[in-house]
Amino acid sequence: VEYASEFRYRNVIIDSNTIIIAISQSGETADTLAAIRKAKELGAITLGICNVVGSTISRETDAGIFTHTGPEIGVASTKAFTAQLTILIMLAIKLGRKKGVSKERGKNLIDALRHIDQDVTSILKISDEVKKVAKKTWKSDNFLYLGRGINFPVALEGALKLKEISYIHAEGYPAAEMKHGPIALIDENMPVVFIAPQDESFSKILSNIEEVKARKGFIITITDKVNTSLESLSNFILTIPNTHKHVFPITCSIILQMLAYELAVYRDC
């Protein structure tokens, strides 16, 4: 994964055997467009994932996929993000099938995607719980979002949305890296949002939660299954439907977007 703004200024090692996938809501992002042009000069195949039909990126790439999420209404662009994740999963399945991934494995993932509308409906129904978290934390000046593995980028999304619409400083971090910096800032005034699905990483994230608890941090846990350990450590738990581990980042992003929204409302943004 590359930042287009950094990629275009580096001596990148790509050639005609490289595929560059450019992701843009508008299809007009200047840095992304410059990165595509650089990649094409080096002989790479370019693929665009964007929302706007007829945009510059859709015209200049060799091939692409439209997200078809409708016009962008606000800067937070929540629907663009979840649509992009969905398309990346579908692309991964398609490539996986070409590379020999079992039909059953692909079907499990597709079934989880097909169920996502019901999952989102369930998440929207717990808005009162999200409001309780917002009511307790809206005066905070800083938030920390922590996730492991595939959910680290989800922590980044949560922090980004908070900054964009409620104007609270927030950082997303890999949970295991917390001890290299952020842990020094944790006290009772610092809400820490943990992304803690009950998967193979759960025991590790639980130990990270315990470290924050030891420093009196205010713990908000997002999980798909509550247990006694989480209940004893967390100030608030937001439970979302259980789903495939690769679909969890989409449903988790939605609850994080809701939290940013409710905080923005309490702050009168």
Side-chain angles (χ1 to χ4, degrees), residues 162-174:
L162 194 70
K163 285 181 278 196
E164 284 182 327
I165 64 172
S166 69
Y167 308 117
I168 297 172
H169 170 255
E171 277 193 85
Y173 246 78

Side-chain angles (χ1 to χ4, degrees), residues 114-162:
R114 283 193 172 131
H115 198 267
I116 206 164
D117 58 335
Q118 294 162 60
D119 292 339
V120 172
T121 301
S122 298
I123 292 166
L124 293 173
K125 286 177 180 174
I126 64 165
S127 60
D128 285 347
E129 294 299 307
V130 181
K131 285 175 185 171
K132 288 176 188 174
V133 179
K135 186 177 182 181
K136 188 73 176 175
T137 57
W138 70 272
K139 292 182 180 178
S140 299
D141 294 322
N142 301 284
F143 267 69
L144 188 60
Y145 288 74
L146 300 172
R148 294 184 79 105
I150 196 173
N151 290 306
F152 160 50
V154 183
L156 294 176
E157 164 68 3
L160 178 65
K161 289 294 176 281
L162 194 70

